Amino acid sequence: MALKISANSAFTHRYLKLRSWGVTFRETAAFGGVHKFPFSQIEYILMSPKAVLSFQVGQEVFSIPTKPKKKKHIETIEALLREVSRAAGR
């Protein structure tokens, strides 16, 4: 599994990459960096009306803009939901 959503702008570089063990999230701006989480640590997942995918790990929320018509983004979101649900025993 190596699905990825990238969302870059002039000042910010973001990506969310799914691996077999969990998620790598990178955000570089004034602050930020690379964060790695197993699927079991992700507590909530939310998709905003403006297609911003957010997930919560502990007290931190990580967000990335998505493109709902882009096949790779859809596949990545579906895989994230599936793996987090599987890790939670659902």
Side-chain angles (χ1 to χ4, degrees):
M1 176 186 325
L3 297 169
K4 183 177 179 180
I5 295 174
S6 295
N8 302 314
S9 68
F11 302 104
T12 307
H13 177 76
R14 288 186 203 111
Y15 72 74
L16 178 137
K17 187 180 285 188
L18 299 187
R19 311 273 188 165
S20 59
W21 53 267
V23 173
T24 301
F25 180 82
R26 179 177 184 207
E27 179 175 32
T28 56
F31 300 99
V34 177
H35 303 274
K36 297 179 180 184
F37 310 103
F39 293 116
S40 61
Q41 286 186 346
I42 297 174
E43 298 171 25
Y44 298 100
I45 300 171
L46 175 70
M47 180 65 75
S48 78
K50 293 189 177 187
V52 175
L53 175 67
S54 299
F55 64 96
Q56 182 175 340
V57 177
Q59 297 297 314
E60 292 186 88
V61 176
F62 303 90
S63 299
I64 188 165
T66 66
K67 296 178 181 174
K69 295 183 180 182
K70 193 169 184 179
K71 184 179 178 186
K72 192 160 192 169
H73 286 206
I74 293 168
E75 290 173 349
T76 303
I77 293 164
E78 288 174 348
L80 175 65
L81 292 170
R82 184 174 53 250
E83 294 302 322
V84 168
S85 181
R86 185 183 327 221
R90 295 181 209 140

